[in-house]
Amino acid sequence: MDAQQHPSHPPPPPSAPRRPDTADVLQQIMAITDQSLDEAQARKHALNCHRMKPALFSVLCEIKEKTVMRVRGTQDEGPPDDDAQLLRLDNMLLAEGVSRPERQGRGAPAAAASTATPGGCPNDNGLEHSDYRAKLSQIRQIYHSELEKYEQACREFTTHVTNLLREQSRIRPVSPREIERMVRVIHSKFNSIQMQLKQSTCEAVMTLRSRFLDARRKRQNFSKQATEVLNEYFYSHLSNPYPSEEAKEELARKGGITVSQVSNWFGNKRIRYKKNMRKFQEEATIYTAKTAGDPTEVRGQGGQASCPSMPSSSSSGPFPLSSTGDALITLQTLTSLQPSPEGGSLLSQARGSWQVKRMSTTSPVGDPGHVISDATN
DNA sequence: ATTAATGATTAGAT
DNA sequence: ATCTAATCATTAAT
C-alpha cells in the first residue's frame, strides 16, 4: 500500500455490522483508494454536520449493544494450535544460530584455536566450513530483513487501522476494547505470515546443513597406514572381529583416525566380508601373512581360527565364537556340507557367524541337539 | 561414462 | 549403547 496515512476514514460500514470476516475487512481496507478517501472525507463532513447525527449515534449504539453480545459469544480466543509449532521453529532457528545477532566472538584468538588440533584432521573444516557459514549468514540476513519488513508493515497497518477506528468513534461507538481486539486480529494475521517465513527459513537451513555437514559428501579415503592397521586387526581377529573400546582407541591412534571411524570401518568390513568372502580372500592372505607371529590372537580353538588362507577347503571362516566355540563348530561343519549353489563354496559359511542372535527366553540347556534344526532351514 | 570401492548415515533390533 | 543391513554419496578405476 502507499503508506498514505490519511487520518480519514472509509465510508461508514453498513449499519448492521454483522461479524465480519477479518479477511474481508482487510481486503476492504486494502481496497481504499485516494479517491474513495476523498469521497469519504466529504461524507464525513456532511455527517458531522447533519442535524440527525445524535439520533443516528444512539441508534448505532443500540445496534452495537446487541452485536457485541453476539460477538462475545462466538469469538473465541486465538488458536493455541499454532503456538506449539511456532515455538518449535523458534527453538530451531535459535539453535541453528539464525535468530541470534550475528555471532561475533570478540575474543579474537578463538579463530586460531580451531586450528590448534595437532596431528588430527588435515584441513577438513577449512574452506567448506567458511562456505557453510557464509551461506548460513546469508540466510540469516534474508530472514532478518524480511522479519523487519513484516514488523514494520504490521506497525504501519496497525496505526492506520487504529486511526481509522478512532476517527469513526465520533460517528459510531467504538470501544477501546474493540480497537484492541482489532489490533490483536491484525497481529495474529501478521504472525501467521511470520511463521511461514520461519518455516521456509528452517527448511533452507536444513537443506544447507545436509548439503554441507553431511560427511558423506566430503568423504576421503583413509590413508594407507590406517587401512593397513585396520586390516591387520581385522584379519588377525577374524574369529571375533569386535575390537573393544580400548582396542578401538589404539587403532584410531595408530591410523590417525577417530574412534567412530574405526567403528564405522569395522561395521562396514564385517558386513562386506560376510557378504562376499571370496572377494576378500586375497586380502586376507596378505594380512594374515603379515601378522603370522602375532601372539594376541586366540589360537587353537576349533583348529585354525585365524587362518583363512585355504580357499576351497571346508572352513577357515569366522565361525568359532571365542566363548562357546564347541557347539558352533558342529554348525560350521553342517553348513559346509550343504549343497552350495553357484559354486560359491565359501559363501555359505558366513551364515550365522559372529554376532549370534540370542534364542528366545527359554533355558539354554540342550543346546547341542538343536544344531540339526538349524541346518534344516 | 560406467562401474567398483569405500566411508558415513540411517532404521531397526537387541 | 552397539550391531546389522541397507543405502547414500563420493572417490578411484575401467
Side-chain angles (χ1 to χ4, degrees), chain A residues 155-170:
Chain A
R155 278 195 302 270
E156 277 178 17
F157 195 74
T158 301
T159 58
H160 189 192
V161 168
T162 51
N163 281 342
L164 286 180
L165 288 176
R166 258 200 282 275
E167 190 66 33
Q168 287 194 9
S169 68
R170 284 203 246 158

Side-chain angles (χ1 to χ4, degrees), chain A residues 221 253 273 309-310:
Chain A
N221 293 350
R253 191 183 55 74
Y273 179 85
S309 56
M310 311 181 329

Side-chain angles (χ1 to χ4, degrees), chain A residues 79-96:
Chain A
D81 186 24
D82 299 338
D83 280 358
Q85 199 183 355
L86 184 66
L87 200 65
R88 259 190 17 197
L89 293 176
D90 270 338
N91 283 339
M92 152 132 195
L93 289 175
L94 207 69
E96 235 40 68

